[in-house]
């Protein structure tokens, strides 16, 4: 699948759509989800044109991959959720229910989250 530069996350990265930032560095941008599914729900997106985690891990540089995952950890630390715990989730493709065709992870926290799948 080709990257769609009109997706909402690409528009956020270009500054065309505002977001409530939590963390930003050379590799990633983290911001609050506008439709939270947990008391704390933050999205972390890489600063690059990657459709999915498969695309990201196959085509991004080792530096970009490491920088992105460090940004996920830094986001959790900034949110103060490391000790209490949190969940990171990446949806990929139709069966994974990926809604935006730009690789991203969801960081959920702020309450006991329960089991993953039933």
């Amino acid at each position: 699948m080709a990257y769609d530069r009109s997706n909402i996350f690409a528009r956020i990265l270009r500054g065309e759509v505002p977001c409530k930032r939590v963390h930003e560095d050379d590799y990633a941008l983290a911001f609050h989800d506008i439709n939270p599914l947990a008391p704390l729900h933050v999205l972390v997106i890489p600063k690059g044109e990657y459709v999915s985690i498969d695309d990201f891990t196959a085509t991004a540089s080792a530096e970009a991959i490491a920088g992105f995952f460090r940004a996920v950890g830094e986001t959790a630390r900034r949110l103060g959720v490391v000790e209490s715990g949190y969940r990171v989730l990446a949806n990929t493709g139709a069966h994974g229910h990926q809604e935006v065709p730009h690789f991203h992870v969801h960081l959920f926290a702020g309450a006991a989250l329960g089991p993953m799948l039933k």
Side-chain angles (χ1 to χ4, degrees), residues 17 21 24-26 36-38 46 50-51 54 57 60 65 68 75 86 96 101 104 107 110-111 115:
V17 175
R21 282 177 169 75
E24 184 172 14
D25 61 24
D26 291 341
L37 299 177
Y50 306 103
V51 174
D54 178 65
T57 57
I65 293 168
F68 174 79
T75 299
Y86 60 96
H104 58 286
L107 192 153

Side-chain angles (χ1 to χ4, degrees), residues 8-90:
I8 187 67
F9 295 162
R11 295 177 61 215
I12 288 171
L13 283 172
R14 290 193 301 266
E16 298 170 5
V17 175
C19 69
K20 187 177 173 190
R21 282 177 169 75
V22 174
H23 172 72
E24 184 172 14
D25 61 24
D26 291 341
Y27 302 101
L29 172 64
F31 54 93
H32 290 273
D33 193 296
I34 62 168
N35 276 325
L37 299 177
L40 191 60
H41 183 177
V42 170
L43 300 169
V44 186
I45 62 175
K47 289 187 170 179
E49 296 182 353
Y50 306 103
V51 174
S52 65
I53 193 168
D54 178 65
D55 181 25
F56 183 64
T57 57
T59 63
S61 69
E63 180 182 3
I65 293 168
F68 174 79
F69 284 102
R70 282 190 186 103
V72 173
E74 177 61 24
T75 299
R77 289 186 289 279
R78 285 182 184 227
L79 293 168
V81 298
V82 172
E83 191 170 318
S84 60
Y86 60 96
R87 179 175 294 155
V88 174
L89 173 71

